[in-house]
Amino acid sequence: DQQVKQNSPSLSVQEGRISILNCDYTNSMFDYFLWYKKYPAEGPTFLISISSIKDKNEDGRFTVFLNKSAKHLSLHIVPSQPGDSAVYFCAASVVYNFNKFYFGSGTKLNVKP
Amino acid sequence: DGGITQSPKYLFRKEGQNVTLSCEQNLNHDAMYWYRQDPGQGLRLIYYSQIVNDFQKGDIAEGYSVSREKKESFPLTVTSAQKNPTAFYLCASTKRSGVYNEQFFGPGTRLTVL
């Protein structure tokens, strides 16, 4: 039973426009959410995170929004750049049980020049 | 530079053979993890370890074994009992201090069974 879901396997966006990647979760105990970026044949790299006490966290071109009532989070990339083309994974955890992170299946973003 | 190293990057194995994937970290992290990634799928947890000499099964531990004799090292053995071992394997670690901790990942090992 997948507790973190990314329902869009791919997304294509024009350079300079906004990319919006979505993630849904089912476990209401999750209180820490992360986004990772992954290039082929490499390990994921941490991008941005948000705790459940916030509904928005911003870092440069990347903003993560959390809607706890809908159990939904999204990653906004503005403006999108060709170098952003990668697979993006969302992940969730319960802080007191930091050992387990639950990952979505990933969304492949293609930013066209 | 601190980080996680995995070796080798590519590994080929004949059916019926055991193979061990290496994972070393110099981040002084307490917890270490092994994940498996298959095409079009997310990361699935195989094993994790919170401290030396202790480890727990993840969601897909069958056919795998681990050891944690040193804080820096968490090798994964893929045994002949693993029915479909061809995959991309990722090692990760997390520090225990602080409240919110992200996982740091190694570069991965692609295992192919011939």
Side-chain angles (χ1 to χ4, degrees):
Chain A
D1 182 29
Q2 205 169 2
Q3 299 189 51
V4 178
K5 297 180 183 178
Q6 293 176 258
N7 293 318
S8 298
S10 64
L11 175 67
S12 188
V13 170
Q14 203 67 38
E15 181 179 6
R17 307 292 286 267
I18 184 172
S19 295
I20 300 177
L21 294 90
N22 293 304
C23 181
D24 297 294
Y25 61 96
T26 57
N27 189 343
S28 57
M29 297 295 291
F30 288 147
D31 52 10
Y32 185 48
F33 305 88
L34 310 91
W35 284 96
Y36 284 85
K37 177 179 179 179
K38 184 181 181 301
Y39 293 115
E42 293 184 11
T45 54
F46 170 72
L47 200 54
I48 192 169
S49 64
I50 188 167
S51 69
S52 60
I53 60 174
K54 294 184 176 182
D55 53 20
K56 177 183 174 181
N57 189 27
E58 198 170 347
D59 183 2
R61 296 186 297 114
F62 302 91
T63 303
V64 56
F65 294 92
L66 175 62
N67 183 334
K68 290 186 288 295
S69 60
K71 295 192 181 69
H72 177 84
L73 66 153
S74 61
L75 175 68
H76 293 210
I77 306 174
V78 184
S80 301
Q81 300 173 354
D84 296 329
S85 297
V87 177
Y88 290 78
F89 290 98
C90 68
S93 72
V94 180
V95 168
Y96 75 81
N97 184 19
F98 74 98
N99 292 293
K100 291 198 77 173
F101 292 76
Y102 298 84
F103 285 83
S105 55
T107 296
K108 186 175 183 179
L109 174 65
N110 179 32
V111 180
K112 296 178 286 187
Chain B
D1 281 338
I4 302 176
T5 56
Q6 291 185 245
S7 60
K9 191 166 181 64
Y10 300 96
L11 189 56
F12 297 90
R13 169 197 122 178
K14 291 183 180 178
E15 260 190 76
Q17 288 181 335
N18 291 357
V19 63
T20 297
L21 282 61
S22 166
C23 177
E24 304 277 332
Q25 55 99 0
N26 61 2
L27 298 166
N28 199 32
H29 286 174
D30 295 285
M32 296 186 73
Y33 311 74
W34 275 104
Y35 292 92
R36 168 183 173 141
Q37 185 190 15
D38 294 283
Q41 294 194 34
L43 308 181
R44 293 186 290 167
L45 182 65
I46 304 172
Y47 267 98
Y48 64 101
S49 167
Q50 300 179 45
I51 55 172
V52 174
N53 293 323
D54 184 60
F55 47 84
Q56 288 80 39
K57 292 182 179 179
D59 302 316
I60 55 165
E62 186 176 349
Y64 299 97
S65 66
V66 293
S67 63
R68 187 87 187 275
E69 296 176 3
K70 298 186 300 182
K71 186 176 183 178
E72 303 79 22
S73 178
F74 191 41
L76 173 75
T77 297
V78 184
T79 75
S80 56
Q82 168 50 233
K83 292 184 176 15
N84 186 19
T86 294
F88 189 56
Y89 290 88
L90 286 159
C91 179
S93 69
T94 303
K95 62 182 179 180
R96 288 193 73 176
S97 62
V99 177
Y100 301 112
N101 300 292
E102 68 268 22
Q103 284 192 323
F104 292 81
F105 285 85
T109 292
R110 179 162 298 281
L111 173 64
T112 303
V113 174
L114 305 172

